[in-house]
Amino acid sequence: MQKGNSNTVRPHTVKKFELIENYVKQWAPKLLNYDRCDGVVFIDCMCNSGIYYDDTGKEVFGTPIRIARVLSDLMLKYPQKKAFLYFNDLSSEKIDILKEYLPTNTPNYHISTSNEDGNSFIKKIAMQDLGRVNYLLFYDPNNASLDWNALKLYFGKWGEIITNHMVCDSKRGLTQATRPPATSRYQKTYQYEDLNDILKHSSNLEHSSNQEVYMKRVREIIDTLLSETNKQYHVASFPFFNMRNALLYELIYCTRNIKGFRLFKKTAWKVFG
């Protein structure tokens, strides 16, 4: 039986859940077996309730529940290491639903939940000293809203960042945006004061669609921020399409570790079959 604030889930979203889950299943043991790693940190700052339903009414677990259970089982094998999980959503009701499905904290496995602005949430976590831990930040807004001031705090950390760029929102709404908060959201995401400039940006890109321009612009911003770290990064982008083959969003994966980069790409190919 569906609870309040339930969500209908589409096949492409389930694939996203599976990708993150399967990556973590392989990512975490490699890190926990490394003697210079004291633990792992997983952050889902816009996590929703973690409960969805498919078209038949069947319950489907989202990213926070899947990852919480994977790491809960795994940490039993690594009593000397630690796992810190941080889940946040603006809705306190959704967080209350999520808590019903989460494993119990143990001495080496700790979940923190919160209901506040996701960007403020990850800024506070970035300021904490958790020791020699590896971070995996999953940044998954439900529209084209990317706060680079929050994200760049993690580009310099030891770990990985998976960002959801909701291209379909920009494709649908950017050219129609005439007033805040819509205009300010797109201005912040694409770093243009005048939104018309982002379309002028495509003047030298023959046969480019608006969505390709948005994707290129986000990659440019990421490349600029990564260059400021003076460290080599590996970046991959994975598009997600609906049943009509229309582009919905892209997941952008960033890491300094070439092995992690190869693992994520390998996992993605397996999930998408």
Side-chain angles (χ1 to χ4, degrees):
M1 180 177 180
Q2 297 190 16
K3 297 187 177 185
N5 282 314
S6 62
N7 303 278
T8 299
V9 68
R10 301 302 181 192
H12 60 82
T13 303
V14 176
K15 287 295 184 184
K16 178 176 67 174
F17 298 157
E18 292 175 352
L19 173 56
I20 305 301
E21 178 185 16
N22 287 316
Y23 175 66
V24 170
K25 282 181 178 179
Q26 301 172 79
W27 159 82
K30 292 181 182 296
L31 291 165
L32 295 170
N33 281 317
Y34 180 43
D35 59 2
R36 295 186 180 181
C37 177
D38 293 334
V40 294
V41 178
F42 181 82
I43 306 169
D44 187 343
C45 59
M46 304 164 189
C47 67
N48 211 309
S49 67
I51 296 296
Y52 300 81
Y53 297 88
D54 65 17
D55 290 337
T56 68
K58 180 181 177 181
E59 189 174 72
V60 177
F61 290 152
T63 304
I65 297 174
R66 290 172 184 244
I67 302 307
R69 295 184 176 187
V70 166
L71 291 179
S72 176
D73 291 341
L74 183 62
M75 295 313 295
L76 296 174
K77 302 176 184 178
Y78 298 90
Q80 303 306 315
K81 302 292 179 84
K82 294 185 180 296
F84 301 94
L85 294 83
Y86 297 90
F87 299 129
N88 175 76
D89 194 271
L90 271 175
S91 168
S92 59
E93 184 178 358
K94 290 180 179 180
I95 290 297
D96 287 341
I97 293 172
L98 174 63
K99 287 179 179 179
E100 297 179 24
Y101 293 83
L102 296 178
T104 302
N105 285 349
T106 68
N108 72 330
Y109 172 87
H110 188 267
I111 297 176
S112 297
T113 59
S114 181
N115 59 287
E116 59 183 285
D117 173 72
N119 296 304
S120 299
F121 180 70
I122 62 174
K123 287 176 182 177
K124 290 192 296 186
I125 297 172
M127 297 298 105
Q128 298 178 17
D129 183 5
L130 298 175
R132 298 185 304 177
V133 296
N134 184 279
Y135 290 81
L136 177 53
L137 170 62
F138 182 41
Y139 189 91
D140 190 22
N142 60 10
N143 56 29
S145 179
L146 304 177
D147 187 332
W148 299 110
N149 288 327
L151 283 167
K152 72 179 181 181
L153 296 175
Y154 290 83
F155 286 142
K157 289 185 177 294
W158 178 35
E160 290 73 41
I161 303 170
I162 302 173
T163 305
N164 181 1
H165 174 208
M166 190 65 73
V167 185
C168 66
D169 174 43
S170 300
K171 180 181 178 182
R172 179 177 58 247
L174 188 147
T175 57
Q176 305 298 320
T178 58
R179 65 185 66 179
T183 52
S184 58
R185 180 173 80 243
Y186 296 127
Q187 287 166 342
K188 179 183 289 187
T189 296
Y190 298 110
Q191 300 288 285
Y192 278 112
E193 187 66 29
D194 184 345
L195 292 178
N196 290 320
D197 287 344
I198 191 172
L199 300 180
K200 295 176 185 176
H201 188 73
S202 65
S203 59
N204 295 323
L205 302 175
E206 293 185 6
H207 310 299
S208 291
S209 66
N210 285 0
Q211 65 187 27
E212 291 172 324
V213 174
Y214 304 148
M215 294 164 70
K216 183 175 186 296
R217 178 56 181 160
V218 164
R219 181 59 185 269
E220 288 175 345
I221 295 170
I222 289 175
D223 287 346
T224 297
L225 292 174
L226 292 178
S227 69
E228 294 173 358
T229 68
N230 295 317
K231 298 172 182 175
Q232 183 178 6
Y233 264 84
H234 308 279
V235 182
S237 174
F238 299 89
F240 283 70
F241 299 87
N242 64 14
M243 299 297 289
R244 298 179 180 178
N245 206 35
L247 177 64
L248 297 175
Y249 53 86
E250 58 171 344
L251 283 188
I252 305 169
Y253 172 86
C254 304
T255 183
R256 300 201 321 248
N257 190 311
I258 186 61
K259 292 182 179 179
F261 177 74
R262 290 169 179 164
L263 176 60
F264 192 85
K265 290 182 68 175
K266 180 180 179 182
T267 305
W269 281 113
K270 286 184 176 180
V271 168
F272 295 124

